[in-house]
Amino acid sequence: MKAKILILSLIGCIATSIISAQSLSLIPLPQSVETGEGEFVFKDKLVAQITPQAKEVFDLFAKDFSRATDIKIKQIQKSSKAQLELNLVASLPAEGYTLKVTKEKISIAASQPAGFFYALQTLKQLLPRNVMAGVPDSSVRRWSIPCVEIEDAPRFAWRGFMLDEGRHFFGKEAVKRVIDVMAAYKMNRFHWHLTEDQGWRIEIKKYPKLTEVGAWRESKGLGYGNVKPDTEHYGGFYTQKDIREIVEYAKARFIEIVPEVDIPGHSQAAIAAYPEILACDPENKHEVWLWQGVSADVINVANPKAVQFAKDVIDELTELFPFGYIHLGGDECPVNKWRENEQCKARLAAIGSQNYRDLQIDFYKQLHDHIAQKPKDKQRRLIFWNEILYGNTSMLSNDITVMAWIGANQAAVEAAKRGMTTILSPQIPYYINRKQSPLPTEPMSQGHGTESVEAVYNYIPMNNVPAELQSKYLGVQANFWTEWVVEESVLQYLMLPRLAAVAEAGWTAQQKRNYEDFVNRLQAEKAYYEKSGLNYGKHVIK
Ligand code: ACM
């Protein structure tokens, strides 16, 4: 009889843990989840006791939570009546937290506001998904969460997403929606690709033509091959007021914005605005580009006025973005025009090199030195795409960060060997603007559909990297290029649910990651996406 009870209770335990793995549906999967017996049932009113360090974070949570559930929250000073507690525990890791739910109480601890924010995101994921969406759901009659003990902290410090708004402009509200999804998945870096051959999207006070001229073009879609531009007047940009609003929005969600001004390549829109200081051939006509691809019209890096322009732009970016990094691009910069330009030839000789790529490094060095002489609070670390490694980076500095996209695994190792920090954003499979299925119903985009949810999920970051280089790996990032993507609904469709897969690679220890388990947990996201009004790829969501 005893043996039978033991077997039954063992089966019960196994059943509980199988049910919990699926029904908890947490993304990204926490470090440790122990489910208990029973549940915490919410009443009409929730009494909460909040440490001052969590106050701002909690107020943001409380607004969404009360709107979605109609449960009122009463915040009190220390009292045994609290049903929800947020306590400061200094020994917990940065961004980490613990969340303990018993039948009587929900207890959260963290050492920093970010940890409280992530704990509350997890708490929302333990509830019906209308809570994460922040909208009411009258079909829910009883609000409860299972008893559980969670200990959690991220694997990587950098869990990023890049959006290219140079090719197509989506606007403030679309960007806030992206930030909301990133926050739901505990991502913390929004890399904002703000300039391109096809458009300059950020107001720079000292150079007003960047947006008067550079933010507009005479085609909405971009020409390619035999397909001509469509002649529609198209464009848009963010004013500095818009930028400040989005910065505040992101900060409240523990997302640092990494603004990217891609120079000296991918700069035809800026050159069209100021050919007299930026063009290698100012005597010729320059216009905002109407085509896909890589333009050969690059900035004349040997012109001191172009260097001054870049410094001035960096100064305004520094004032607008109170974060750690500025990205200066550096990818796909053809050097043909430099080869034919007397100023460039002379500068290359002056720096004692025959490699035209070093002109780019020399340009960056002047910008790096400009930042280095700023006061401490205005210092920014520079990020570049991994083509920077094709030049003599010893002329520059190793206190830069390399974003590895092409041949990403090898490039990241090379950057780390040169003493630089690095971020993994492999074109295949982390360019999540590429088709996520070979089905003919997939919207027009790059790729052949091989960047499926599974392929994205199964990329292993920092695989077989020598132990001594691993501290240089900041983390992972999904990138989204918009040559083909004109509408926000297509952006969302291609981004989701693959963003969740990258978020989990950034947060969850590799040995805990399992694609089938992820797909099981992903099923709950259908309700989150639909209640939030977000479009998504339906391939693996039933
Ligand atoms: C890139 O994909 N050109 C960074």
Side-chain angles (χ1 to χ4, degrees), residues 266 331-332 385 405 431 481:
H266 288 280
D331 57 323
E332 299 175 321
W385 296 109
W405 72 281
Y431 277 21
W481 302 99

Side-chain angles (χ1 to χ4, degrees), residues 166-182:
R167 272 55 175 261
H168 285 101
F169 177 75
F170 299 95
K172 219 162 55 176
E173 296 312 313
V175 167
K176 287 184 183 171
R177 282 186 276 275
V178 166
I179 288 173
D180 285 342
V181 184
M182 289 179 65

Side-chain angles (χ1 to χ4, degrees), residues 196-216:
E196 258 307 333
D197 291 316
Q198 298 90 346
W200 182 284
R201 306 288 175 218
I202 175 169
E203 178 188 25
I204 300 294
K205 300 271 190 206
K206 199 157 187 181
Y207 297 92
K209 284 199 282 183
L210 284 172
T211 43
E212 286 164 14
V213 174
W216 305 95

Side-chain angles (χ1 to χ4, degrees), residues 14-73:
I14 293 164
T16 314
S17 71
I18 289 171
I19 289 165
S20 62
Q22 295 175 3
S23 63
L24 291 191
S25 293
L26 300 173
I27 296 179
L29 189 69
Q31 231 177 48
S32 149
V33 180
E34 302 249 343
T35 48
E37 293 281 310
E39 55 183 9
F40 175 92
V41 180
F42 289 86
K43 305 200 172 71
D44 291 350
K45 197 163 78 187
L46 181 71
V47 180
Q49 182 192 309
I50 312 297
T51 177
Q53 286 84 349
K55 171 94 177 93
E56 240 175 89
V57 168
F58 187 75
D59 287 348
L60 187 66
F61 164 84
K63 224 165 62 198
D64 279 351
F65 176 82
S66 291
R67 184 172 56 236
T69 59
D70 211 22
I71 296 167
K72 306 279 173 294
I73 295 184

Side-chain angles (χ1 to χ4, degrees), residues 162 167 191 193 196 260 262 266 294 327 329-332 385-387 403-406 425 427 431 479 481 483:
M162 185 217 78
R167 272 55 175 261
H191 169 178
H193 186 82
E196 258 307 333
E260 181 186 354
D262 197 351
H266 288 280
V294 176
H327 199 312
D331 57 323
E332 299 175 321
W385 296 109
N386 65 255
E387 286 97 321
M403 194 163 267
W405 72 281
I406 188 161
S425 61
Q427 180 181 35
Y431 277 21
N479 291 340
W481 302 99
E483 283 95 334

